[in-house]
């Protein structure tokens, strides 16, 4: 595969396909979608291949990503998700980006586990606004046992009864805990790799990369889908962004959900003074993720409030097909509902309907 900015040979068939479809042969694209669904997804990507894709000229890269996107997803649908912090602050991990770490004074107070009925009511209100995926996050290193875990299971059961996708991020899990979450109705478990294996130790010292992979394995064994992505803008090199994408694309199966986050710099955390990320790096990462993992839902996650409407539009063009709504993501700001509604309307995009997952 070439890396000199020219179209790699593997891109040529898609280029021909879309060129023909632009001349009025819509059935060609529909047939391509059926063919793509029947073909095997690749899990044997080489890092050099990922690098070549990531460094492709941006217009060409976005074009290729759009082609892949349309083979698996409706081009005008965006899934809306809502995230709530069910247990805030006091986390023993030292993740350099996180204001909930007990190691830093970032102005986030400690709050105990929320009442399950309150969480279910928040989910019910979200569902009434068309949100189809509800995510619950707790600042734990390891999901606890006992009453707290039973309360989480009650939350999962209640949200699942609303007909929503249910996702949790609770830290590390045992196989037994994963099994109980599955029985309660959990749809997905979020456990991000954050960055490349090489850069990981610069961001976190209290948990090894292998620990994250073990949790993902426990989730898979329980039959729960995986939500796994990373954070850009933490001072990593381009090679680390490529390394993260390579790690994700060689998981078998691919994560069904791939959140791409942009660092939200919070005073009091070690990364507070990190230079801002070029938004086009978000576009490149999203487009590359879409090409490598075409059947996965790529989520434009944290940091969206730092992006201009034009940058967000490019992310959608690059293959993002999910956003988080609500004015706060755990503890950091997010665009308000009016902003999101105006943006989607201006682009002609529509929220994904319930039960159309």
């Amino acid at each position: 595969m070439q890396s000199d900015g020219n179209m790699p040979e593997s891109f040529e068939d898609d280029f021909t396909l879309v060129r023909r479809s632009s001349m009025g042969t819509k059935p060609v694209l529909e047939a391509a979608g059926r063919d793509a669904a029947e073909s095997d997804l690749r899990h044997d990507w080489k890092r050099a291949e990922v690098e070549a894709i990531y460094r492709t000229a941006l217009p060409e890269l976005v074009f290729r990503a759009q082609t892949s996107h349309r083979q698996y997803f409706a081009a005008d649908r965006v899934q809306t998700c809502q995230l709530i912090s069910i247990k805030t602050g006091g986390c023993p991990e030292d993740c350099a980006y996180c204001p909930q770490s007990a190691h830093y004074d970032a102005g986030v107070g400690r709050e105990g586990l929320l009442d399950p009925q309150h969480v279910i009511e928040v989910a019910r209100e979200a569902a009434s606004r068309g949100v189809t995926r509800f995510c619950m996050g707790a600042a734990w290193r390891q999901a606890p046992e006992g009453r707290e875990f039973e309360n989480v299971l009650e939350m999962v059961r209640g949200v699942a009864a609303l007909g929503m996708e249910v996702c949790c991020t609770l830290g590390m899990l045992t196989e037994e805990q994963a099994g109980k979450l599955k029985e309660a109705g959990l749809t997905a478990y979020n456990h991000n790799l954050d960055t490349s294996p090489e850069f990981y130790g610069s961001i976190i010292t209290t948990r090894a990369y292998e620990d994250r992979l073990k949790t993902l394995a426990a989730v898979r064994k329980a039959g729960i889908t995986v939500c796994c992505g990373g954070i850009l803008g933490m001072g990593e090199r381009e090679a680390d962004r490529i390394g993260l994408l390579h790690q994700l694309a060689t998981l078998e199966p691919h994560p069904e959900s791939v959140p791409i986050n942009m660092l939200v710099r919070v005073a009091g955390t070690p990364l507070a003074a990190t230079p801002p990320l070029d938004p086009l790096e978000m576009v490149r990462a999203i487009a590359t993720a879409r090409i490598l993992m075409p059947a996965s839902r790529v989520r434009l996650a944290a940091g969206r409030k730092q992006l201009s409407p034009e940058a967000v539009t490019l992310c959608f063009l690059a293959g993002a097909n999910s956003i988080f709504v609500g004015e706060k993501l755990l503890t950091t700001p997010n665009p308000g509902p009016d902003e999101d509604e105006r943006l989607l309307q201006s682009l002609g995009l529509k929220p994904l309907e319930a039960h159309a997952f």
Side-chain angles (χ1 to χ4, degrees), residues 210-222:
E210 185 61 30
D211 292 332
R212 293 187 179 270
L213 296 174
K214 286 179 181 177
T215 292
L216 294 179
V219 169
R220 281 289 182 209
K221 186 173 182 180

Side-chain angles (χ1 to χ4, degrees), residues 174 203 235 252 292:
T174 64
I203 300 299
E252 190 169 357
L292 299 174

Side-chain angles (χ1 to χ4, degrees), residues 27-145:
V28 176
L29 274 181
E30 294 174 348
R34 290 192 295 271
D35 292 343
E38 294 170 359
S39 65
D40 292 333
L41 300 173
R42 281 191 61 186
H43 303 89
D44 61 349
W45 294 99
K46 305 302 181 187
R47 192 153 176 164
E49 293 179 292
V50 179
E51 179 182 348
I53 294 171
Y54 189 93
R55 292 180 175 173
T56 299
L58 191 61
E60 188 177 299
L61 178 63
V62 171
F63 174 79
R64 173 68 172 95
Q66 259 298 306
T67 304
S68 295
H69 184 194
R70 289 165 185 257
Q71 290 174 351
Y72 285 85
F73 296 99
D76 64 343
R77 291 293 188 272
V78 175
Q79 186 179 41
T80 54
C81 317
Q82 185 160 321
L83 175 62
I84 182 175
S85 177
I86 60 173
K87 184 270 178 186
T88 304
C91 181
E93 303 277 25
D94 66 354
C95 308
Y97 53 79
C98 186
Q100 298 199 68
S101 171
H103 295 259
Y104 317 127
D105 184 10
V108 175
R110 299 189 184 195
E111 299 177 13
L113 190 65
L114 296 178
D115 178 73
Q117 291 306 310
H118 169 73
V119 173
I120 294 167
E121 283 306 309
V122 172
R124 191 186 311 277
E125 190 277 331
S128 72
R129 290 184 282 104
V131 173
T132 59
R133 186 177 176 107
F134 192 75
C135 308
M136 296 173 280
W140 287 317
R141 169 181 167 78
Q142 166 78 49
E145 300 288 354

Side-chain angles (χ1 to χ4, degrees), residues 236-253:
E236 76 281 352
R237 304 165 302 159
E238 180 186 79
D240 295 309
R241 294 191 279 276
I242 292 167
L244 167 66
L245 293 165
H246 178 247
Q247 286 286 316
L248 294 170
T250 52
L251 292 175
E252 190 169 357

Side-chain angles (χ1 to χ4, degrees), residues 152-154 156-158 160 179-186:
V152 171
L153 295 177
E154 183 179 345
V156 171
R157 285 189 287 266
K180 289 181 178 179
L181 287 166
K182 172 66 175 178
E183 291 174 6
L186 191 71

Side-chain angles (χ1 to χ4, degrees), residues 146-202:
R147 185 59 190 163
E148 284 186 309
F149 191 69
E150 291 301 318
N151 282 342
V152 171
L153 295 177
E154 183 179 345
M155 295 176 195
V156 171
R157 285 189 287 266
V159 177
L162 299 174
M164 306 176 83
E165 289 186 4
V166 194
C167 182
C168 281
T169 178
L170 313 170
M172 294 184 287
L173 284 182
T174 64
E175 289 185 4
E176 182 181 4
Q177 287 173 323
K180 289 181 178 179
L181 287 166
K182 172 66 175 178
E183 291 174 6
L186 191 71
T187 307
Y189 195 81
N190 168 254
H191 204 62
N192 290 333
L193 293 180
D194 288 343
T195 188
S196 69
E198 296 83 1
F199 190 64
Y200 184 83
S202 301

